[in-house]
């Protein structure tokens, strides 16, 4: 039996779209695709207008087949999927025994196969865990990252999906599980291309948490507002469910997600991990939380998501490092 902690996941193949004119490679976890193609604000505006596509081919792709696939996954994840209709997209989490978020799953079932995409480089650990839980169930788990590329069309896009390509439709757009060999041709026909900086700016604007950014080793679903979207409360029997039920009944998660409008006169964005303090205490004050994601938005200017202590007043003026920040409530205290 594989030990998930020992699994080293190979990176997804480098995207061929990085050879497009103007492409600037992304760094860190998003390495392998483009950060932008020359104009991050134009790319954001195009996506907001329902045009173009985002290359997410660095994300891990996993399939689960077999007659027991939905009943089996139902026992392992936070979402209710036993009767998931073909074509209906959903989100789910895998939690630790203590209820902390370990993996985020974006999934859809096509009637024969569950298609999942997950954070870049995490599919090896996820597959190792799934394999360790197969027991007598009729399921097969496969890593499809090398031959399948995820592409996202923005909400409102009229670009068609090729015949036979699995589509995962959400309020934020359509995820296509595209054969990697077809990526260049499809992008050439249905551009313009938008990079990860544009994608991330719209994600932050929409208050959408991302595993590995808005999560650390002790994040629980209530802190990010994932109850009802990625966590179904009318089911149990999954790892970490006791923590979810306890926090739901007591209503006291230790932290909460907030959206921040940052001072636009600052040259540099406060990056992930930047301490958040009360403005009246200055940047040397007691740390109340930290930035999880930040971006420059084509209309809103500099924005961020942060995790702060639950009891921080919702109207408190904050500092992100030395940058003034006005908060909007995402998760009620």
């Amino acid at each position: 039996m594989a030990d998930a902690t020992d699994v080293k996941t190979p990176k997804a193949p480098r995207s061929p779209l990085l050879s497009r004119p103007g492409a600037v490679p992304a760094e860190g976890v998003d390495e392998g695709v483009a950060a932008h193609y020359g104009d991050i604000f134009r790319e954001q505006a195009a996506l907001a207008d329902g045009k173009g596509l985002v290359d997410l081919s660095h994300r891990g792709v996993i399939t689960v087949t077999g007659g027991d696939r939905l009943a089996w996954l139902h026992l392992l994840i936070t979402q209710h999927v036993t009767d998931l209709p073909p074509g209906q997209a959903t989100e789910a989490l895998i939690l630790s025994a203590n209820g902390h978020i370990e993996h985020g799953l974006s999934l859809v079932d096509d009637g024969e196969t569950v298609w999942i995409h997950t954070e870049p480089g995490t599919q090896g650990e996820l597959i190792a865990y799934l394999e360790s839980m197969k027991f007598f169930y009729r399921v097969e788990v496969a890593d499809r990252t090398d031959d399948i590329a995820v592409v996202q069309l923005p909400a409102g896009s009229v670009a068609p999906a090729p015949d036979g390509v699995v589509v995962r439709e959400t309020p934020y757009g359509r995820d296509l599980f595209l054969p990697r060999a077809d990526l260049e041709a499809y992008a050439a026909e249905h551009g313009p291309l938008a990079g990860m900086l544009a994608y991330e700016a719209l994600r932050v604007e929409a208050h959408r948490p991302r595993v590995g950014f808005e999560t650390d080793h002790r994040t629980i679903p209530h802190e990010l507002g994932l109850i009802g979207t990625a966590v179904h409360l009318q089911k149990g029997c999954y790892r970490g469910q006791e923590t979810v039920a306890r926090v739901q009944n007591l209503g006291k998660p230790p932290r909460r997600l907030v959206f921040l409008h940052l001072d636009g006169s600052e040259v540099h964005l406060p990056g992930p991990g930047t301490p958040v303090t009360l403005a009246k205490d200055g940047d040397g004050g007691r740390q109340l939380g930290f930035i999880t994601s930040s971006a420059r938005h084509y209309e809103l200017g500099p924005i961020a998501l942060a995790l702060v202590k639950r009891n921080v007043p919702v109207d408190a003026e904050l500092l992100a490092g030395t940058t003034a920040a006005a908060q909007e409530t995402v998760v009620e205290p």
Side-chain angles (χ1 to χ4, degrees), residues 163-237:
D163 291 342
V165 167
V166 175
V167 177
R168 182 178 172 276
E169 189 160 0
T170 76
Y172 306 103
R174 287 178 290 151
D175 299 339
L176 275 55
F177 290 87
L178 193 71
R180 195 171 285 274
D182 298 341
L183 179 58
E184 281 188 278
Y186 187 82
E189 185 175 357
H190 300 293
L193 293 172
M196 289 304 297
L197 291 180
Y199 174 87
E200 284 290 284
L202 298 184
R203 177 185 71 83
V204 172
E205 178 198 13
H207 306 170
R208 295 171 55 205
R210 181 178 172 185
V211 173
F213 285 71
E214 278 61 56
T215 63
D216 57 19
H217 66 284
R218 59 192 182 96
T219 306
I220 60 175
H222 287 80
E223 295 177 327
L224 305 184
L226 294 176
I227 305 303
T229 56
V231 179
H232 197 292
L233 291 177
Q234 303 306 313
K235 63 160 288 187
C237 301

Side-chain angles (χ1 to χ4, degrees), residues 49-73:
D49 197 34
K51 299 174 182 177
L53 60 85
V54 181
D55 177 11
L56 299 178
S57 62
H58 61 320
R59 289 183 64 81
V61 177
I62 299 168
T63 56
V64 182
T65 55
D68 294 335
R69 66 190 183 281
L70 290 175
W72 174 69
L73 280 172

Side-chain angles (χ1 to χ4, degrees), residues 140-156:
E140 293 296 330
V141 180
D143 186 348
R144 302 294 303 278
T145 309
D146 282 346
D147 64 301
I148 298 294
V150 178
V151 168
Q152 185 174 92
L153 302 174

Side-chain angles (χ1 to χ4, degrees), residues 37 61 157 325:
Y37 295 89
V61 177
S157 171

